[in-house]
Amino acid sequence: MSQPIHMNAGPLGRIDIVPTGGKLSVTPASALMVRAVGSSVAMLAGSGIDWGTGSGCIAIAAARIPAVESIVGIDVLPADVAAATANARRNRVSAVASFIQADVFAPGDESGAAVLEELKEATGFLTANPPASPDGDGLGWRRKVLAGARRFLVEGGPALVQISYQYGMARIEGLVDDVPGYRYCGIAATTGWVPFDLGRSDLARQLVQYAAEETRGGQPYVFRHPEQELEMTAAAALEHHRATGSSPLSKWQAHLYVYEPG
Ligand SMILES: C[S@@+](CC[C@H](N)C(=O)[O-])C[C@H]1O[C@@H](n2cnc3c(N)ncnc32)[C@H](O)[C@@H]1O
């Protein structure tokens, strides 16, 4: 078994997470979301859902909040559900955090179905660090998760969603037009400028995808030049990387949306 990774949940203390086994199961985006939960203590209460829970790190941080009565982590991979369950035990939050297998929000078995049925229109908050979508502008999974969560959230329920800086504020705020029923409420947590590490094959693929989206006429992405105080589009960042080998800069961020139907 791998050694636990120590993650900083701010006022909620340190959590110890054994990764799920996947190479990218705990990333800088995971660390940012754990910190975001720590800085959102006052707004997270009642029953929560952590969508795409992976190692369970976000759910486990949320389970430390005294006003959180329960949190259910959902993942499509049974191995992640098992790893998250073991991590909850390791951090002594099993009484509050539990995990089920589901594809998007479609439960894999009857007990998962019963859990999700109870959460309909009764979920106080959502947390999510969804995967990047391999097509379109990259935010397709975020739209799917926010759309699906409307069946669960109570009116006024916050959704804390990981979306990095390079997507640009127009696209990030525009999610409320793509998925009606939410109000955009700003940045919940952010890192400073960090390399969008093109040594990571997933991020290298994403940059190519973003440049293709710009060519199709999509909104420009917003990176920071690695050496100068300049903004760069994805196409410019890709060209610079091909010429110099350096990665552009971005920020890992968590954004807050509040469910306000009608
Ligand atoms: C970016 S990882 C985040 C993991 C964890 N929440 C974290 O922040 O470290 C996205 C997670 O979404 C899960 N996922 C992908 N497709 C899914 C689906 N169709 N339904 C539910 N979960 C899914 C993956 O298995 C993965 O654990």
Side-chain angles (χ1 to χ4, degrees):
M1 200 210 336
S2 337
Q3 287 301 308
I5 294 171
H6 306 312
M7 301 181 82
N8 176 8
L12 300 170
R14 186 184 95 176
I15 60 173
D16 296 333
I17 296 294
V18 173
T20 61
K23 201 168 115 217
L24 289 174
S25 84
V26 178
T27 65
S30 317
L32 184 272
M33 281 299 288
V34 165
R35 270 187 38 215
V37 167
S39 54
S40 306
V41 168
M43 72 177 75
L44 304 182
S47 305
I49 293 178
D50 177 38
W51 189 93
T53 200
S55 68
C57 56
I58 301 168
I60 289 166
R64 290 252 178 97
I65 298 173
V68 170
E69 289 154 19
S70 67
I71 180 155
V72 174
I74 293 176
D75 207 284
V76 71
L77 296 177
D80 285 14
V81 172
T85 303
N87 278 324
R89 222 176 292 123
R90 182 170 289 110
N91 288 277
R92 300 189 171 82
V93 294
S94 301
V96 180
S98 59
F99 301 89
I100 62 169
Q101 192 268 331
D103 184 358
V104 192
F105 287 102
D109 61 25
E110 276 180 27
S111 67
V115 170
L116 287 179
E117 191 55 40
E118 287 256 309
L119 285 168
K120 278 198 186 142
E121 297 178 22
T123 302
F125 67 95
L126 172 86
T127 54
N129 176 16
S133 304
D135 48 20
D137 68 357
L139 287 183
W141 270 114
R142 268 80 175 172
R143 295 187 184 94
K144 209 181 254 193
V145 172
L146 284 172
R150 293 182 295 202
R151 276 183 289 140
F152 296 95
L153 284 168
V154 295
E155 190 163 349
L160 201 53
V161 184
Q162 196 284 319
I163 311 176
S164 300
Y165 180 93
Q166 77 273 1
Y167 284 100
M169 283 312 294
R171 199 177 265 115
I172 293 168
E173 291 188 45
L175 284 185
V176 301
D177 301 319
D178 305 338
V179 187
Y182 291 93
R183 182 161 59 88
Y184 177 70
C185 295
I187 298 170
T190 184
T191 64
W193 293 113
V194 292
F196 186 77
D197 179 7
L198 296 174
R200 260 177 67 177
S201 57
D202 60 327
L203 299 188
R205 266 195 309 276
Q206 279 170 38
L207 184 59
V208 172
Q209 178 186 341
Y210 298 159
E213 173 69 7
E214 287 175 351
T215 303
R216 280 194 294 271
Q219 305 255 13
Y221 291 77
V222 190
F223 286 96
R224 172 93 157 201
H225 194 288
E227 290 98 28
Q228 299 168 40
E229 289 196 8
L230 283 179
E231 284 189 352
M232 310 173 91
T233 62
L238 188 58
E239 199 182 317
H240 188 72
H241 174 65
R242 286 179 175 154
T244 65
S246 36
S247 296
L249 306 180
S250 185
K251 297 179 184 185
W252 301 107
Q253 297 188 319
H255 293 263
L256 181 66
Y257 299 84
V258 170
Y259 183 52
E260 287 181 356

